[in-house]
Amino acid sequence: MPSLGPSPPDCAPFDYDHPEISPYNYRPSLAAGIVFTVLFGLSTLLHAYQTFRTRRWWQITFVCGALGECLGWLARALAYNCAYSSTYFSMQISLLIFSPAFTTAGIYTILVFLLPLVGTHTSPLPRKAYLYIFVGVDITSILLQAIGGGMASSEASSGKNPVTGTNIMIAGILFQLASLCVFASLFQLVVFRGWKVIRANRSLVVLCAVTMLSVACVVIRGIYRSIELLQGWTGYLISNEKFTIALDGVMILIAVGIFNVFNPGVLLGKAGAGNVVSARDAEEGEVEDKP
């Protein structure tokens, strides 16, 4: 967050003796910025190709998630030479906080298409409820984070303590994190109840495994971001880039990149959730479980 006092010009030479002048409290790594920009960029292109090839358009959520991460890390790469730029700082913090919501939306959709294969009786909720409830929570949390981020930036720019806006941002992140933890529990329950069907189908085993890995990575990242903001804009976590790299960049790269390697559209197709079945399910809402 921009400092409360006057700061040097956006692209002034970095003052290593007073790193706290920068909104990052350090000079962002150029190498990390470039590496993550390239990797997330490749993931974006590959997800776009896989979406069009499989014609499972819901996978556009992964495209949006990877693209947001790519742009966020690009802003951090540009900030290497412009470490005092509030524009680059706001761009990267906003994109890196909001973008995982698109990835989780894709994860929620995986369960929607998984249920007809393992039996809708394995779920305590109707299929469509997962999209209505959890995507609704994601949208609400994004709005809270956007409102809080805007307030915090405005407060800091006017020389005020950005505590109110920061608290709203934290509330949005914690709301999203709690929702994801509930979803993870429900997903595990479905896998447990439908394990006899899942274990007989290699594609379902792989799909469930990579989905749980992706969820775990997003949860780890959410815990990190929550603690980071609770410590404040000059706290220990936000002031050490290694945590952003390891607990945000790497975690989300795994969460979204694992679906490049094990594409859910392809796995669902192999498991029997073809386009005809998916279209019928979308129209009818539920399918009858076969004995």
Side-chain angles (χ1 to χ4, degrees):
M1 187 60 56
S3 58
L4 299 181
S7 61
D10 288 354
C11 299
F14 190 77
D15 185 355
Y16 287 97
D17 292 329
H18 299 90
E20 71 281 357
I21 299 176
S22 165
Y24 305 89
N25 301 310
Y26 56 80
R27 188 179 192 181
S29 168
L30 178 62
I34 291 175
V35 168
F36 281 115
T37 298
V38 171
L39 291 178
F40 279 115
L42 291 174
S43 180
T44 301
L45 294 175
L46 187 52
H47 271 302
Y49 167 74
Q50 291 171 325
T51 298
F52 281 95
R53 184 171 69 87
T54 61
R55 296 189 179 278
R56 298 183 184 276
W57 305 115
W58 57 269
Q59 292 187 115
I60 200 74
T61 55
F62 296 128
V63 178
C64 295
L67 178 60
E69 294 289 334
C70 176
L71 295 176
W73 283 97
L74 175 61
R76 290 184 67 89
L78 294 174
Y80 175 78
N81 288 321
C82 297
Y84 303 107
S85 170
S86 60
T87 299
Y88 287 151
F89 180 82
S90 298
M91 179 179 172
Q92 63 87 30
I93 196 70
S94 298
L95 287 169
L96 295 184
I97 285 180
F98 300 162
S99 295
F102 291 102
T103 299
T104 56
I107 292 173
Y108 302 150
T109 310
I110 289 175
L111 182 55
V112 171
F113 287 110
L114 177 66
L115 284 176
L117 300 176
V118 300
T120 53
H121 67 279
T122 61
S123 172
L125 297 177
R127 291 176 59 221
K128 290 185 178 180
Y130 288 97
L131 290 181
Y132 296 148
I133 295 174
F134 292 105
V135 173
V137 169
D138 267 0
I139 293 174
T140 302
S141 67
I142 287 176
L143 290 176
L144 285 173
Q145 293 169 50
I147 293 171
M151 289 180 59
S153 180
S154 176
E155 290 166 347
S157 298
S158 60
K160 300 178 182 178
N161 192 327
V163 62
T164 301
T166 301
N167 287 338
I168 294 176
M169 284 184 69
I170 294 172
I173 293 176
L174 289 175
F175 188 39
Q176 186 179 38
L177 178 61
S179 170
L180 187 59
C181 289
V182 171
F183 173 82
S185 299
L186 292 172
F187 187 88
Q188 291 174 338
L189 178 62
V190 169
V191 172
F192 175 76
R193 289 179 173 178
W195 181 242
K196 287 184 66 175
V197 175
I198 293 171
R199 69 180 182 182
N201 189 313
R202 183 178 181 277
S203 293
L204 289 181
V205 172
V206 174
L207 179 61
C208 291
V210 298
T211 301
M212 287 192 286
L213 173 60
S214 181
V215 170
C217 289
V218 178
V219 168
I220 291 172
R221 172 262 175 198
I223 293 172
Y224 155 68
R225 280 296 188 183
S226 300
I227 298 175
E228 175 194 61
L229 289 179
L230 284 170
Q231 290 183 345
W233 296 101
T234 57
Y236 180 74
L237 290 180
I238 204 171
S239 301
N240 287 273
E241 189 177 24
K242 60 186 178 183
F243 295 112
T244 302
I245 292 173
L247 298 178
D248 192 299
V250 173
M251 290 297 103
I252 298 302
L253 183 62
I254 294 174
V256 71
I258 194 69
F259 292 125
N260 288 130
V261 181
F262 302 100
N263 183 257
V266 173
L267 292 172
L268 285 168
K270 290 181 177 179
N275 289 331
V276 174
V277 174
S278 299
R280 185 191 68 200
D281 294 341
E283 293 174 359
E284 298 178 358
E286 295 288 342
V287 296
E288 293 294 327
D289 296 327
K290 296 181 179 180

